[in-house]
């Protein structure tokens, strides 16, 4: 499917005014008509389709070039919509929803048959979340249907944190983009399976394991998240693909001295060198493209800027990219998970 013109609706500084809601109505109408529309959430931009309409959902896979075995997350505006989608809501899910919804936490439930088969890639479970973003929720309410939405990037590329990123990847391939400004969290939601006896973390994200355990006690972690072994298959289909990758090759680097050495060597080889660093170390490296991604003092700033930073290396045509690493705790776990994927699963040098 190709659209000569991808529509663009701007609702930056959304206030819920009559004018804003009119724009939401127009965008939502396309979703109810079976088209696909990108919209902001608090994590990253999503590419939405009516989750009950199989033909509409298929357009998402086509536009993104997404493998058909990778299921989508269904977005809802109100908790009451959950009953329509899932067979049962375990107690732990109630506790988590009370605490973290709306917010960057996706929960996996046993699904009802109304959910379009492509949404769940044939699985008997469905992933659901309620985004904490006024524009997203206004759009969901105006559409009146649950909306399946993966991140609105071409498969394999960093997720979009601005409407411009979406436009870059998907112009001409989708019906429209709702521009609600830059997203906040910057990394995708945490994905937790609560259909298992002990809840199982599939993807680290905006809500940390520590925060989950403070509410429901023990959480298991998909063992493939803890090792970089390529032999095991992750429990969540999407986690097996290389992701978040700029065109240049990404290497993770343990310390500053090693970084200086690697930059020097790559320059000797005539490469155009990029470095992903933080404001603390920005002045320490002489490379062609040095990008400071937030501050080590506050990892939320790193998460928020990470994907935009990775995209900068494409814009500035870096051939190799050396990235600093972050502590494996709190939000650092989600940041390192994305960086490891960008580096194709290689261990730090
Ligand atoms: O923050 C987010 O979650 C963003 C925004 C747009 O909401 N969405 C997002 O979607 O990141 P996507 O499609 O890029 O990632 C969905 C992840 C994939 O890793 C997928 O495999 C997993 O959720 N997933 C979805 N349904 C699943 C299921 N039933 N069982 C296991 N994993 C599932
Ligand atoms: Mg994605």
């Amino acid at each position: 499917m190709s659209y000569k013109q991808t529509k663009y609706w701007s609702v930056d500084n959304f206030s819920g005014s009559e004018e804003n809601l009119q724009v939401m109505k127009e965008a939502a109408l396309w979703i109810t008509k079976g088209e696909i529309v990108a919209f902001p959430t608090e994590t990253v931009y999503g590419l939405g389709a009516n989750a009950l309409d199989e033909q509409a959902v298929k357009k998402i896979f086509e536009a993104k070039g997404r493998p058909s075995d990778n299921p989508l997350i269904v977005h809802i505006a109100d908790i009451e919509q959950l009953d329509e989608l899932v067979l049962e809501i375990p107690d732990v899910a109630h506790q988590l929803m009370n605490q973290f919804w709306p917010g960057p936490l996706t929960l996996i439930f046993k699904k009802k048959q109304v959910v379009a088969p492509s949404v769940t890639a044939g699985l008997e479970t469905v992933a659901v979340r309620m985004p904490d973003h006024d524009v997203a929720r206004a759009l969901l309410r105006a559409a009146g249907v649950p909306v399946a939405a993966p991140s609105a990037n071409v498969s394999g590329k960093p997720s979009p944190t601005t409407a411009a990123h979406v436009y870059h990847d998907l112009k001409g391939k989708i019906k429209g983009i709702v521009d609600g400004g830059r997203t906040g969290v910057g990394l995708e939601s945490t994905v937790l399976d609560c259909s298992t006896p002990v809840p199982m973390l599939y993807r680290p994200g905006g809500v940390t394991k520590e925060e989950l355990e403070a509410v429901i006690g023990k959480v298991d972690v998909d063992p493939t998240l803890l090792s970089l072994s390529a032999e095991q298959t992750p429990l969540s289909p999407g986690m097996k693909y290389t992701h978040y990758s700029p065109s240049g090759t990404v290497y993770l680097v343990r310390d500053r001295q090693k970084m200086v050495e690697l930059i020097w060597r790559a320059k000797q080889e005539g490469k155009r060198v990029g470095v992903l660093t933080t404001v603390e170390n920005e002045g320490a490296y002489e490379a062609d493209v040095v990008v400071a991604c937030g501050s080590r003092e506050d990892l939320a700033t790193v998460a928020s800027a990470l994907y935009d930073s990775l995209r900068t290396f494409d814009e500035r045509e870096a051939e190799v990219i050396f990235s600093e690493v972050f502590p494996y705790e709190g939000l650092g776990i989600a940041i390192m998970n994305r960086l490891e994927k960008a580096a194709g699963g290689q261990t730090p040098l």
Side-chain angles (χ1 to χ4, degrees), residues 164-188:
H165 295 161
V166 180
Y167 188 76
H168 174 272
D169 279 16
L170 297 173
K171 62 173 176 293
K173 295 182 179 171
I174 63 178
K175 188 74 201 181
I177 302 172
V178 178
D179 184 351
R182 194 173 280 276
T183 64
V185 178
L187 297 182
E188 301 83 350

Side-chain angles (χ1 to χ4, degrees), residues 64 66 151 153 159 188 243:
K64 279 182 60 98
R66 185 178 177 103
S151 48
N153 50 292
S159 297
E188 301 83 350
H243 259 78

Side-chain angles (χ1 to χ4, degrees), residues 61 64-72 118 121 155-156 237-238 240-241 243:
F61 286 85
K64 279 182 60 98
R66 185 178 177 103
S68 60
D69 68 347
N70 190 3
L72 310 178
S118 289
S155 266
K240 71 173 178 268
Y241 296 105
H243 259 78

Side-chain angles (χ1 to χ4, degrees), residues 39 41-47 64 66 69-73 75 104 106 108-109 119-120 123-129 131 149-153 159 187-191 193 202-203 235-239 243-244:
F39 62 96
T41 79
E42 81 280 30
T43 57
V44 300
Y45 273 74
L47 177 59
K64 279 182 60 98
R66 185 178 177 103
D69 68 347
N70 190 3
L72 310 178
I73 295 169
H75 296 65
T106 294
I108 293 179
F109 302 91
V119 170
T120 63
L123 298 174
E124 284 308 310
T125 52
V126 61
V128 185
R129 90 175 187 99
S151 48
N153 50 292
S159 297
L187 297 182
E188 301 83 350
S189 61
T190 302
V191 177
D193 193 343
Y202 287 164
R203 180 174 73 179
L235 296 167
S236 177
M239 298 299 283
H243 259 78
Y244 319 115

Side-chain angles (χ1 to χ4, degrees), residues 96 208-221:
L96 292 169
T208 64
K209 178 170 180 270
E210 293 86 340
E211 287 170 327
L212 295 171
E213 289 188 326
V215 177
I216 56 166
K218 188 170 164 40
V219 165
D220 278 342
V221 178

